[in-house]
C-alpha cells in the first residue's frame, strides 16, 4: 500500500509511509493506494470512477524509453459507511500485464483525470515527489513459458527427408513421468512424422531413437491429406528432441510448423 497526497502541499508533515513497490511474475499483484490531504486525513475518493468521468490513473513507466508500459484505472474502496470512507483505491497488475516487461526498476505515477480531460498531479510522499519506484521481479512464482515453435525443416539424412534443428528437452525440470505435448500444423500433407530423442547433450550427436506418441501403436504418425491441427503427447526424460517428416509418393503437402511444450 502507498499513501498518495492530494489537495496541495505545504510541507507541514514529514514523510510517513513510503516504500518501493514490487511486482512478481507468475501471479496477479494487487496494489492499494490511500489518498490523504496535507494534514494526513483520508479523502473520500468513492466518486472517483470512470463512470463519473473523474478518476485516478496509474502509469508504470519504463525508465529508458520514458513511455508508459502499463496503464490502470484505480477503483475506489468504500467501507459501506455513510460517514467514514477508507480513502483507498486499488488496481491489479496481472501476470499477463508483465509478460512483455523486463525484470528491472520502473517508475510509476498517479494522476487525477477530470471530466474535461484535464489532469491533476498527485504525490507519492510528503517530500513533494510525484513519482515512485516499482520493481518487476522474477523467480518467486512459476511463470508461463511459451511453446517452442519449429517451422524450419532442412533436407537431411535423418529417418525422413526433412528434419528440424534439435530442441532442448529440459531434463532438469522433469521426472520419469515428464509430459511432452506437440501441436502439428499441416497443409494437404500425406506422409509420416517422427519424433526422436537423445540422451546426449551434444547437438551434433547421431545417437537418436524414435519416440512412440500416446495412442500410436508404433513410432511415427501417418497423415492422409491433412490440413488440420493435430495434438499428441509423449512421456519421458530426454536431453534433446527433434522432428522429422517425409511425404508419401506423389504428395506435395507439408508440415508447416510444430509447437512443443514440456
Amino acid at each position: 500500500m502507498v499513501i498518495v497526497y492530494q489537495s496541495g502541499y505545504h510541507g507541514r508533515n514529514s514523510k510517513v509511509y513510503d516504500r518501493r513497490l514490487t511486482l512478481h511474475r507468475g501471479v496477479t499483484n494487487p496494489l492499494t493506494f490511500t489518498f490523504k490531504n496535507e494534514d494526513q486525513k483520508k479523502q473520500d475518493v468513492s466518486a472517483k470512477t470512470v463512470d463519473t468521468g473523474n478518476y485516478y490513473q496509474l502509469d508504470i513507466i519504463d525508465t529508458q524509453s520514458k513511455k508508459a508500459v502499463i496503464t490502470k484505472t484505480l477503483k475506489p474502496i468504500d467501507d459501506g459507511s455513510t460517514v467514514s470512507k477508507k480513502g483507498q483505491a486499488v488496481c491489479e497488475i496481472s501476470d499477463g500485464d508483465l509478460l512483455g516487461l523486463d525484470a528491472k526498476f520502473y517508475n510509476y505515477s498517479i494522476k487525477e483525470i477530470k471530466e474535461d480531460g484535464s489532469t491533476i498531479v498527485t504525490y507519492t510522499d510528503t517530500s513533494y515527489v510525484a513519482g515512485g519506484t516499482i520493481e518487476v521481479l522474477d523467480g518467486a512464482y512459476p511463470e508461463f513459458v511459451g511453446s517452442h515453435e519449429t517451422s524450419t525443416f532442412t533436407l537431411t539424412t535423418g529417418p525422413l527427408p526433412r528434419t528440424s534443428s534439435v530442441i532442448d528437452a529440459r531434463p532438469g525440470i522433469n521426472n520419469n513421468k515428464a509430459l511432452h505435448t506437440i501441436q502439428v500444423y499441416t497443409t494437404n500433407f500425406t506422409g509420416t512424422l517422427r519424433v526422436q530423442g537423445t540422451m546426449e547433450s551434444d547437438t551434433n550427436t547421431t545417437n537418436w531413437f524414435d519416440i512412440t506418441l500416446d495412442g500410436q501403436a508404433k513410432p511415427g504418425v501417418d497423415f492422409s491429406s491433412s490440413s488440420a491441427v493435430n495434438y499428441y503427447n509423449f512421456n519421458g526424460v530426454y536431453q534433446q528432441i527433434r522432428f522429422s517428416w517425409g511425404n508419401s509418393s506423389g504428395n506435395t503437402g507439408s508440415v508447416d510448423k510444430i509447437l512443443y511444450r514440456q
Side-chain angles (χ1 to χ4, degrees):
M1 182 179 69
V2 171
I3 293 178
V4 181
Y5 292 88
Q6 59 178 16
S7 302
Y9 171 74
H10 303 289
R12 294 166 58 182
N13 294 293
S14 61
K15 186 182 298 186
V16 175
Y17 188 73
D18 178 45
R19 68 181 182 185
R20 183 174 67 229
L21 296 178
T22 58
L23 299 175
H24 297 273
R25 295 190 192 277
V27 293
T28 295
N29 298 261
L31 298 178
T32 303
F33 298 89
T34 299
F35 291 80
K36 293 184 176 183
N37 64 12
E38 64 215 43
D39 294 320
Q40 298 191 29
K41 293 181 179 179
K42 294 180 180 179
Q43 300 298 290
D44 180 4
V45 298
S46 59
K48 306 292 186 179
T49 66
V50 173
D51 291 340
T52 66
N54 183 192
Y55 58 94
Y56 292 109
Q57 177 177 295
L58 168 71
D59 291 306
I60 298 178
I61 303 164
D62 188 287
T63 57
Q64 295 177 312
S65 68
K66 310 301 181 184
K67 295 180 179 179
V69 293
I70 295 177
T71 297
K72 294 288 184 179
T73 299
L74 301 185
K75 181 180 179 181
I77 296 176
D78 189 342
D79 65 0
S81 169
T82 58
V83 178
S84 174
K85 304 293 182 181
K86 287 178 181 277
Q88 294 180 337
V90 299
C91 69
E92 291 185 344
I93 309 298
S94 70
D95 183 30
D97 293 326
L98 302 177
L99 284 179
L101 302 186
D102 294 329
K104 64 176 187 178
F105 290 100
Y106 296 83
N107 293 330
Y108 74 89
S109 60
I110 297 173
K111 58 188 175 186
E112 182 179 353
I113 299 179
K114 307 293 287 184
E115 294 91 334
D116 60 3
S118 61
T119 57
I120 299 176
V121 65
T122 62
Y123 306 111
T124 57
D125 61 38
T126 56
S127 296
Y128 211 13
V129 176
T133 302
I134 197 164
E135 184 179 9
V136 175
L137 296 173
D138 285 332
Y141 299 94
E143 300 173 30
F144 171 79
V145 178
S147 299
H148 181 98
E149 180 176 325
T150 296
S151 58
T152 300
F153 304 91
T154 58
L155 291 170
T156 66
T157 57
L160 295 167
R162 296 184 180 275
T163 304
S164 71
S165 59
V166 300
I167 303 168
D168 182 6
R170 303 173 69 193
I173 68 168
N174 292 315
N175 54 42
N176 290 333
K177 294 184 179 180
L179 176 65
H180 306 254
T181 301
I182 61 173
Q183 185 172 325
V184 183
Y185 294 75
T186 56
T187 301
N188 298 322
F189 178 61
T190 298
T192 301
L193 168 73
R194 288 195 184 187
V195 180
Q196 291 194 309
T198 181
M199 302 306 295
E200 296 186 11
S201 57
D202 182 2
T203 57
N204 294 316
T205 182
T206 58
N207 294 323
W208 294 95
F209 52 85
D210 292 331
I211 298 172
T212 300
L213 306 183
D214 291 353
Q216 303 299 309
K218 61 182 179 61
V221 181
D222 295 325
F223 293 83
S224 179
S225 300
S226 173
S227 294
V229 180
N230 296 276
Y231 305 86
Y232 304 95
N233 297 320
F234 60 95
N235 293 82
V237 178
Y238 315 99
Q239 286 287 343
Q240 302 176 105
I241 66 165
R242 69 179 185 179
F243 308 109
S244 189
W245 61 272
N247 299 87
S248 297
S249 177
N251 179 254
T252 58
S254 62
V255 174
D256 301 320
K257 68 177 179 180
I258 298 175
L259 300 183
Y260 165 65
R261 290 185 66 83
Q262 77 273 62

